[in-house]
Amino acid sequence: MNDKLKAYFRTDHLPHIWCPGCGNGIVTAAIVRAIDDLGWSKDDTVFVSGIGCSSRAPGYLDFNTLHTTHGRALVFATGVKVARPDLNVIVITGDGDASAIGGNHLIHAARRNIDITTICFNNNIYGMTGGQYSPLSPTDSFASTAPYGNADRTFDLCRLVEAAGASYVARGTTYHVTPLTNMIRRGLEKKGFSFVEAMTACPVYFGRRNKLPTGVDLLNWQRDNAVPVSRAAKMEPEELAGKIVIGTFLDVEMPEYTETYERLLKEHAADRSGE
Amino acid sequence: MNDKLKAYFRTDHLPHIWCPGCGNGIVTAAIVRAIDDLGWSKDDTVFVSGIGCSSRAPGYLDFNTLHTTHGRALVFATGVKVARPDLNVIVITGDGDASAIGGNHLIHAARRNIDITTICFNNNIYGMTGGQYSPLSPTDSFASTAPYGNADRTFDLCRLVEAAGASYVARGTTYHVTPLTNMIRRGLEKKGFSFVEAMTACPVYFGRRNKLPTGVDLLNWQRDNAVPVSRAAKMEPEELAGKIVIGTFLDVEMPEYTETYERLLKEHAADRSGE
Amino acid sequence: MSSKELSAETPVRIDRSLCKACGICIAFCPKQVLEADEGAIAVVAHPEECIRCRMCELRCPDFAVTVRGDRGG
Amino acid sequence: MSSKELSAETPVRIDRSLCKACGICIAFCPKQVLEADEGAIAVVAHPEECIRCRMCELRCPDFAVTVRGDRGG
Amino acid sequence: MQTQLRLAGTGGQGQILAGIILADAAVTYDVKYATQSQSYGPESRGGASRADVVISDEPVDYPKVIEADLLLCMSQEAYDKYAKDTTEDGIILVDSTLVPSYCNEDPRVVACPITGVARDELGRIIVANVVALGLIVELTDIVSTEAVRKAVAARVPPGTQEANLRAFERGRSLINECLTPGKTSGE
Amino acid sequence: MQTQLRLAGTGGQGQILAGIILADAAVTYDVKYATQSQSYGPESRGGASRADVVISDEPVDYPKVIEADLLLCMSQEAYDKYAKDTTEDGIILVDSTLVPSYCNEDPRVVACPITGVARDELGRIIVANVVALGLIVELTDIVSTEAVRKAVAARVPPGTQEANLRAFERGRSLINECLTPGKTSGE
Amino acid sequence: MGETTRRLMQGNEAIVEAALVAGCRFFAGYPITPSTEIAELLAARLPQAGGRFIQMEDEIASMGAAIGASLTGTKSMTATSGPGFSLKQENLGFASLTEVPVVVVNVQRMGPSTGMPTAPSQGDIMQARWGTHGDHPVVAMAPASVGETYEATIKAFNISEALRVPVVILLDEVIGHMREGVEIPRAEDIQLLERKGPSTGPADHLPYADDGTGVPEMAPFGTGYRYHVTGLFHDETGFPDMSNATADTLMRRIMGKMERHRDVYEWTETTDTEDAEVLLVTYGSPAQAARSAIRRARREGMKVGEFRVVTVWPFPEERLRQLAGGVREIIVPEMNLGQLRLEVERVVAGRARVSGINRTDGDIFKPDEIYAGIREVYGGER
Amino acid sequence: MGETTRRLMQGNEAIVEAALVAGCRFFAGYPITPSTEIAELLAARLPQAGGRFIQMEDEIASMGAAIGASLTGTKSMTATSGPGFSLKQENLGFASLTEVPVVVVNVQRMGPSTGMPTAPSQGDIMQARWGTHGDHPVVAMAPASVGETYEATIKAFNISEALRVPVVILLDEVIGHMREGVEIPRAEDIQLLERKGPSTGPADHLPYADDGTGVPEMAPFGTGYRYHVTGLFHDETGFPDMSNATADTLMRRIMGKMERHRDVYEWTETTDTEDAEVLLVTYGSPAQAARSAIRRARREGMKVGEFRVVTVWPFPEERLRQLAGGVREIIVPEMNLGQLRLEVERVVAGRARVSGINRTDGDIFKPDEIYAGIREVYGGER
Ligand SMILES: Cc1ncc(C[n+]2csc(CCOP(=O)(O)OP(=O)(O)O)c2C)c(N)n1
Ligand SMILES: Cc1ncc(C[n+]2csc(CCOP(=O)(O)OP(=O)(O)O)c2C)c(N)n1
Ligand code: SF4
Ligand code: SF4
Ligand code: SF4
Ligand code: SF4
Ligand code: SF4
Ligand code: SF4
Ligand SMILES: [Mg+2]
Ligand SMILES: [Mg+2]
């Protein structure tokens, strides 16, 4: 293991529980590289996750780490951040964790524009529970609970989070790992709510049922179907069907929640002088 | 009471519980007029609501009516619709009910594009519980839980629902009641998920704390701040601050959930012939 | 319905048992047909001015107003 | 780290205790430096071809690859 | 000794604040025991409003009024609903401005145009509740005038202290103009 | 009479399906009682895999194997972990293709290149589990050959029946080529 | 059909097959170990039976959707495990108060919190009774084998429909995942109970009136009976009424209907109790190991009997009270720290000593362990 | 400060003022009648004390945020009523297993479901003990007056911090909304307990090790102690471990710490029990009416005593058992259909007869009603 990386890992807990070819390790390493680039202190950084294969990542990282309940990572993270605005708070979540049971907390954290970076490991499936479809599984794809194909339509999660009010929104893949690392770094730097959707690979459950049975197959699939956001802008919706649009969708400066709260308290300092 | 209207009301339960000048009655009557226009049968139409002042509306309507738990109207409605796709299903909800505790169900119903029409009575406040800020309360506005002004940013709920995947999205006001009625009718007609945000008036809690203490004040405020969507498209964000953009944001045809489900079952009929 | 305010020809009817005295119909009637009584309940003060635009009926939050005409009851 | 595959000069190192034999590093090495052993564990077969592009390291899901050079360990 | 007071009317008239002031006067300034509670409609707003105050020399066991020693009625509904739950030698203080119909044969009834005085003399209908307090203090002696004065000053919205204290004094003096049973209603 | 069987190896080898087939044969076709259970890792996937089958003439009280009458080992880990929990006169069936190191002094051990045969002779490594079933039927007689045949046909994926039945028969015949203690490992 | 058949089935599969036989035509769920197979199997099986399956965004949504579907007259079910069961509680209370039939399966895993997702437990017994706020009626069943799970599932639908009450089926990971032979009864031997439809036309229908049975008539949505359903307290018309008298009437009716119809749901099994000095009170999967332990104890001359509770809530108080009078000691083996034992202690009220044999480590009982427990109290070495 | 002062306060206000005194510096909530005043007052008051208030999107979020904040070393609270309390259960279990101190207020209203939002009830007593899945430690307190609410709130923070356990304060609508005089203790008379910090440097810190007290040391996030917190079962390092032995150790420690530190939380009040023939077991607001009824009964020569339970969970078994031996009859007045009575019956185990006086209509007890209940059993007219 790379020594630089090693400094951020709880190496005594490796190898991790993820299956051979699972993309989760690729994203986890990308996060660590981004943090290393920024020189953040491990003591001042908190990782919070929900439940799922991906949500196991913080356990391997030598930071303050909090593995919560399914879908709720962002609410715990909000408590941490509001109580200690000086800490860096990063949420690791899966596509199901973030967008199914946790969808409400995601849009509300984005709406508040609270300074938390959320990295969603999107493997298009519920991995931990054995391959049921998630809100990010493609329509018509197969899953253990979609034996006749998935009737649900798919969230464009980046678009949703943007509409909800985030400051930074991007999508990368485990194939395009350097751009992914850069997106994560930009997300971490951003004051406000940032969201990076990392397309990752679950060969065991998503892949096998959908004719992409290995990690290599899934990385090839990512490579072959990725379309940069600039190019996608010029394409018709039909051309874009089945493609993965990657790149930065939004990168703006907006008032951050904990700062607005402080500002309002200052403005109304007189009102609260009493008692 | 207008005789046509009367046919759709449980008149023995009137007068309703809403405060003088509350806009909820205006929206409720608009819904009834839209239904009357369409000639829908009361027996084949189901109203489902959550909890809040606005969610009391179904109790006054002579249909199949279901007053559920806070934020959850859409999930009950989904059960009704999937079990009986032939019934018309309408959800009445408040801004808190729909966008705070119920935000997840809202985006998921939109994502599935299930054929339910949701009418959100947006009074910018939690009315039933006495005036706490809601996710649709303007930033900096005052509420019983925002004594120093509201630090939260506001959802553009129409934009959110559009991003989530709805087929029809519009915003009207209780001042502009005829266009509102037309939007509701269009929403009801639409096959797929439709969402109408009806700006209504809570003089007692939102109004009083924000210098608009009567229903008349709030209707004037709606009139003076409404900007049609076509005009808004030409305006700068700064100009739009504090304005209410009204009109139809989205009106498209997309595969509806219960129909997609049936289609997939047909396509895979062979797979399910066996036990 | 307990009370009709005016004679059969009146185009606008206010149901006093439903009216909650919010003043909306009065404020937004384009022809100032309506006025408030001492309890702030709406009354049809100038029926002859009414142009049957129905805005009072459509905006009354308490279903208390009926405008007679082509469409209504 | 239990085992170094090749001598000190080798630019690429595979940690066999971490490798889960997924084949990703092998499939995507632009220079075919890496190969699978009989257990499908990656081995550095052609170190001399390596251009130190680090793609193997960046894409290894098990943190099992280290490429030495300016940036790495 | 335990005194039960019920202040009843319509939401927005300030019965609850008046109740709080009475209880506060007793507890904070007079060193008695008191409880104040209120009824809520299902929606905790609008409609009828009621504050119950129990003042006692020992801890209060039951915070609601079972039989009122003093009942203030600021709406017809309040009178119709609660007059029967008043003790035999209790006082029913009727705001004759708002309660058109009451039994003026009932020896317990004291009728005063409370809201009328607030509106016409004091120019603020909103202080009717404090006018009523002045009357209550005169009609009973469960709390001291001084204690109520302090509690009024402490509990009314900032900036309105003076107007409220004036209303309180006016209420005290109003006692002399009140109709006691046998006479006819004030307005 | 109660027989405890444990089929152990790595996820994906089909131990669980083999266990189900055995239990199904007993329950559905032989009219005995049986339970089949499996172990889950914390994540219910990957890693070691184990199926326990208990077959009995009367209802089964405890569905897990306490001491195996027959243990199938399709990985070294399985052998290392479970061999000790086999009855004194039990059978330890070792897939010698996958288990390099076992005690060939142990009289209970029967070693066969199960996976090797599936791969090399039958051309499908995936049928190794059914090859093992053939051996198990020959080594014990808790279920009838016919019952297992029917259960195999009913439980394997559609289209693979024939290949699996062939694997079953090959397993049965393989018994003659097995190494019994004292000889050396197969490969 | 027509013939008794015997099939090897998982507990979770037994739920599915029995639900279909019972007439279940709607399922809404959200995956969670170890209950997921129920959703997976129903996703395939329900459409074959003309029913509908939907995977919702979470457990709250699943519970709500099942209630919504039930209001259209469709027998409905949802399934989950601990964390999801906690989330369903609010809407479970809604079903309880609005009297909408629905079956909720909880395949228990080791808790609290995420706990040990693949380990068995009986840790949610009390939660099944008390998990939602306020007094409320609920039925909970804890079958002891896969075969009994099949039976219990049919019965759960019957109880739910007949009494308009939510019924919880408490499996545990062992039964959920274990396969056993199940005797499938012939179709004509299966008795199904249906909810009681309206006896009058729409104009006269009172959706929450007590017709003397405590269970109101129920008209499906969309059939001309337009009425109101609310989670607020309501009178017999179904409309909200906040008066104390109405509240009292409503609460006493919905609790009273349960007291009154014990025959519909009470299900216990009694073995060897005539001469018993020691009584085991069992439920769920430990009952299998207990049975073996009891047989051994009997063989060794100990007078041990078994009182097995299948419907754990409402608890069969009267039956246990009768048995308790005749024994010296009662033992309750549970895969928790002693939950149903609390109820046993209460009901026994000193008539016999009560003790527990408890596991809280995610493993199941071996017959020996229960045997050892019996020996200990039987010999009086304590 | 410095001097005892007396203030008229609502129960909800007492919670707020006492929480601030106890050191609460974070509150996350979601409005719900009849608890909303707690959020409203804290929105104004917390910033004045340097704390932070946040209104979250729902109750699940509020519970999670409070736990998150507590992990930074900030004393945290949330407040709700029935429906919201049901929603908080999953995360409450998380706090229980991960041993994160947090105070949860439930101002009870009439349930089940939406029920009667402005009517008082004690319907959530059992839910406070059993609402989340799995065995778990939790403390619940039910003060009987506004003044006691103030005391109980300070104590709740103390217990929560000292034992690393979630503490639930169960008010009811009456106390929540009623105003009474509260004696505010002088600052120097208030004893605050704080969570135990780490005794070693970060390298040696074992976040879930038992130092002999059963309560592990707790380092705040962001202070150099980097450790892992998970709702999975875990060993003393805090990392997941699914072995049966670890599960057993963990469960027995977290339940055992509660058994061991009864002195920290047990709070009961005993009046007139020496010669009592009839004992009232009371808690919460009905205790006030009960006290009056008892006084009257005593005046009339009936030997009635009172055992008042402030900390209802863990239940003060031993103390009640002792008292039960000496009396003939026990009466439990409750604003529910008899919840704590179940526990009383269990503990009393036949030593005395147990009966209840119950209301389930959303109204509170009049002293007369309880007096009538006493008379009835005292005279033996039953
Ligand atoms: C309340 C609750 N519901 C359900 C589960 C079961 N569960 C665990 S992880 C998971 C989904 C995981 O999917 P995702 O978030 O996409 O993560 P992945 O495993 O794919 O990385 C589910 C449904 C749970 N633990 N808690
Ligand atoms: C689970 C739950 N949480 C909170 C509440 C309390 N509650 C009732 S209505 C409401 C908000 C109402 O606001 P909105 O949806 O905007 O409706 P409005 O009353 O403004 O029409 C809240 C918080 C509840 N009933 N249930
Ligand atoms: S199940 Fe899928 S997501 Fe989970 S570890 Fe395996 S490959 Fe990765
Ligand atoms: S509180 Fe507001 S929203 Fe509710 S009825 Fe009154 S005015 Fe309408
Ligand atoms: S709008 Fe309706 S309620 Fe308002 S004043 Fe006019 S008639 Fe009365
Ligand atoms: S119909 Fe138009 S003109 Fe006539 S009263 Fe109504 S608002 Fe006025
Ligand atoms: S990518 Fe890593 S785990 Fe995969 S084969 Fe290469 S070294 Fe091994
Ligand atoms: S650094 Fe590049 S060239 Fe060298 S082995 Fe890795 S992928 Fe191949
Ligand atoms: Mg996933
Ligand atoms: Mg609102």
Side-chain angles (χ1 to χ4, degrees), chain D residues 14 18-26 40 42 56 59-62 64-65:
Chain D
I14 310 279
L18 289 176
C19 174
K20 287 192 191 138
C22 72
I24 288 176
C25 58
I26 302 168
C56 51
R59 290 210 189 94
C60 171
D62 288 271
V65 188

Side-chain angles (χ1 to χ4, degrees), chain B residues 167-206:
Chain B
S167 291
Y168 180 81
V169 177
R171 185 186 287 119
T173 83
T174 46
Y175 179 84
H176 308 84
V177 60
T178 306
L180 175 65
T181 308
N182 294 337
M183 288 168 192
I184 294 170
R185 194 182 50 232
R186 185 87 193 103
L188 294 174
E189 281 175 321
K190 172 65 60 180
K191 190 93 201 168
F193 189 76
S194 43
F195 180 79
V196 178
E197 181 183 329
M199 294 287 305
T200 176
C202 174
V204 173
Y205 290 116
F206 179 73

Side-chain angles (χ1 to χ4, degrees), chain C residues 11-12 25 28-34 49-57 65 67:
Chain C
V12 188
C25 58
F28 297 101
C29 168
K31 294 290 168 186
Q32 284 81 47
V33 173
L34 308 166
E49 299 288 326
C50 174
I51 56 170
R52 300 194 181 191
C53 70
R54 316 187 78 85
M55 292 318 300
C56 50
E57 182 184 317
V65 188
V67 179

Side-chain angles (χ1 to χ4, degrees), chain B residues 1-4 6 9 14-18 20-22 25-26 29 33 37 174-175 177-178 215-216 219-220 223, chain C residues 1 13 15 17-18 20-24 27-28 54-55 57-67 71-73:
Chain B
M1 190 177 195
N2 176 316
D3 284 344
K4 259 215 178 128
K6 208 191 305 186
F9 277 87
L14 296 176
H16 52 54
I17 61 157
W18 295 317
C22 173
I26 309 179
R33 288 193 177 89
D37 281 358
T174 46
Y175 179 84
V177 60
T178 306
V216 172
L219 260 61
N220 276 322
R223 181 192 60 206
Chain C
M1 213 153 292
R13 219 169 52 205
D15 184 340
S17 70
L18 290 177
K20 286 191 189 139
C22 71
I24 288 177
F28 297 101
R54 316 187 78 85
M55 292 318 300
E57 182 184 317
L58 294 174
R59 290 208 190 95
C60 171
D62 288 272
F63 327 128
V65 188
T66 311
V67 179
R71 206 174 149 261

